[in-house]
Amino acid sequence: MGWKTLDDMDLAGKRVLTRVDINVPVKDGKVTDATRIERIVPTIRDILGRGGKPILIAHFGRPKGKVVLEMSLRVTLPALEKALGASVAFIETLEAAEAMTDEQAGADVLLLENIRFHPGEEANDPAFAARLAKLGDVYCNDAFSAAHRAHASTEGLAHLLPACAGRLMQAELEALEAALGNPARPVMAVVGGAKVSTKLDLLGNLVGKVDMLVIGGGMANTFLAAQGIDVGKSLCEHDMAGTAREIMAKATTAGCEIILPEDVVVAREFAAGAPSETVPATECPVDAMILDAGPLSVARIATALEAAKTLIWNGPLGAFEIAPFDAATNAAAQKAAALTRAGSLVSVAGGGDTVAALNQAGAAEDFTYISTAGGAFLEWMEGKTLPGVAALES
Ligand code: ADP
Ligand code: MG
């Protein structure tokens, strides 16, 4: 792979500018979920272990180039120190960082204030990037989730200092490479969720790369409707019918098998305990909506999973937030988890609702890799070049 890792760098006595994502949820001045903080710990420990001094650069919220005190990263300090088991000094301004003597820099780790307080960050201003570069000797990017943005701290810096990927970035890149870069075949993709319109580029890219594409969730309704099937009151983008037909044609040309639901679970309302029934996908009652895939569809997906060597998944197969419309998502997730555990499948998944659904199914632990990167993960699935990753490539 074309990027350096911490293993390739000499860090002894070096100041390591480390871009991290600690954009954590906060309520009443406290971090409510420290997952993102915990995930950067291996990288920071590794840098410390190699004799380097981590100087953390991160953003928090969207202050749009101005100092917004409610968006200060200071709020993350206690959670950061706790997760690291090391002292962290908070550096409020770049001037303070520039004036700092070695003695003042005595803490194990330094954390710079919200980098988006500076307009040069999001503008990827070369002068701003150069100013940041002076604060360090080496650049380490551990923020895959911010890699789809070409900002000074995610892209510009990589050109100005010896650059490498942090452990989290490395794990993400290796997992993604195994799933779409150079995957074991056959490769199967599962794409679900609400709408086709939000996942057009993703579907377009996948049909050219994978051997089997399962389409589920609300977007499957659009594909069914595009084939002339009446989907009643289901969520459906009728104006996307032409696009859906184009995607199916592209799949045929590329030799990608598209798997749509054969049977579906329908209800008259989307509410817990609403009476539901299973019908063939061609027979949705005019006054009902499709809220999940049925058992025949699940069996078809299970067979495909057994044949597959690699799985990439984004989007739930049904309206999983409310039982019983989580059944198909749960069953497919548990099947993928079991095959992964047995060693016959490499499984990678990402997306906000997808991660929630896989957790709810109790399947997330067994997946090979779960990406929490959101937008960056989706752009990667769309086949786009991520500027933060491209800049690391040597
Ligand atoms: P992700 O966040 O993982 O990218 P999406 O946001 O695209 O996933 O899709 C998740 C949403 O899709 C969920 O809110 C789910 O309820 C909805 N959804 C799935 N299937 C259906 C359906 N048949 N009808 C309506 N909504 C659905
Ligand atoms: Mg979502």
Side-chain angles (χ1 to χ4, degrees):
M1 271 166 273
W3 50 83
K4 293 204 169 76
T5 71
L6 287 169
D7 298 318
D8 302 308
M9 314 303 279
D10 170 19
L11 301 182
K14 303 272 172 69
R15 299 165 301 164
V16 185
L17 290 178
T18 310
R19 180 56 160 99
V20 293
D21 181 0
I22 50 173
N23 196 14
V24 289
V26 165
K27 205 174 170 230
D28 301 327
K30 289 229 166 61
V31 173
T32 55
D33 178 359
T35 308
R36 281 185 159 161
I37 290 178
E38 282 151 17
R39 295 189 89 190
I40 60 163
V41 167
T43 295
I44 298 173
R45 290 230 175 101
D46 205 320
I47 294 169
L48 288 168
R50 288 161 195 271
K53 177 146 207 118
I55 304 175
L56 307 183
I57 305 182
H59 72 275
F60 187 49
R62 298 192 170 178
K64 303 211 164 120
K66 288 198 292 280
V67 176
V68 180
L69 283 180
E70 301 77 67
M71 295 182 196
S72 170
L73 271 174
R74 191 186 281 281
V75 67
T76 65
L77 211 55
L80 200 54
E81 290 196 312
K82 184 168 167 227
L84 276 171
S87 60
V88 182
F90 184 66
I91 316 295
E92 230 159 298
T93 63
L94 282 189
E95 290 75 14
E98 283 158 348
M100 200 150 37
T101 62
D102 285 353
E103 201 171 305
Q104 286 164 319
D108 298 320
V109 179
L110 306 184
L111 169 66
L112 298 188
E113 176 60 292
N114 192 345
I115 200 69
R116 287 191 185 164
F117 283 1
H118 304 273
E121 163 67 359
E122 293 187 63
N124 200 3
D125 173 17
F128 181 69
R131 191 176 170 198
L132 285 181
K134 286 212 179 98
L135 298 173
D137 308 299
V138 172
Y139 170 69
C140 171
N141 190 350
D142 210 25
F144 177 83
S145 49
H148 57 316
R149 312 255 184 250
H151 295 169
S153 71
T154 62
E155 202 273 344
L157 265 180
H159 301 291
L160 302 175
L161 292 172
C164 72
R167 295 303 181 200
L168 185 54
M169 171 75 92
Q170 182 186 346
E172 187 101 27
L173 293 177
E174 284 169 1
L176 300 188
E177 178 71 14
L180 272 193
N182 188 20
R185 293 195 177 266
V187 185
M188 169 173 171
V190 172
V191 179
K195 291 182 172 180
V196 174
S197 53
T198 58
K199 296 192 177 173
L200 269 184
D201 292 344
L202 192 149
L203 290 165
N205 182 44
L206 288 179
V207 291
K209 290 203 172 141
V210 306
D211 306 297
M212 296 175 275
L213 172 62
V214 172
I215 299 178
M219 71 168 66
N221 304 337
T222 303
F223 280 82
L224 294 173
Q227 294 175 310
I229 294 169
D230 186 349
V231 295
K233 290 212 157 47
S234 303
L235 174 67
C236 179
E237 295 168 287
H238 290 284
D239 56 337
M240 283 280 149
T243 308
R245 282 192 290 267
E246 276 167 35
I247 290 169
M248 288 190 278
K250 190 177 168 192
T252 307
T253 314
C256 167
E257 184 191 358
I258 291 204
I259 302 172
L260 281 165
E262 292 164 46
D263 59 345
V264 291
V265 179
V266 301
R268 265 76 187 174
E269 54 171 339
F270 180 38
S276 62
E277 57 186 307
T278 302
V279 297
T282 49
E283 281 166 39
C284 175
V286 285
D287 61 341
M289 52 194 162
I290 300 171
L291 290 171
D292 198 12
L296 290 176
S297 309
V298 171
R300 175 74 191 84
I301 293 169
T303 308
L305 282 169
E306 278 167 9
K309 291 262 187 318
T310 304
L311 167 70
I312 168 141
W313 185 339
N314 168 258
L317 294 173
F320 76 99
E321 294 95 336
I322 294 183
F325 311 112
D326 56 349
T329 303
N330 287 345
Q334 283 153 7
K335 179 77 186 176
L339 290 167
T340 307
R341 215 167 37 228
S344 71
L345 188 70
V346 170
S347 51
V348 174
D353 291 295
T354 310
V355 176
L358 296 185
N359 276 323
Q360 192 175 302
E365 296 273 286
D366 283 320
F367 268 58
T368 311
Y369 193 78
I370 301 271
S371 174
T372 51
F377 176 79
L378 289 176
E379 287 199 19
W380 168 82
M381 268 187 93
E382 289 164 1
K384 295 191 177 137
T385 300
L386 306 181
V389 175
L392 286 182
E393 256 148 46
S394 41

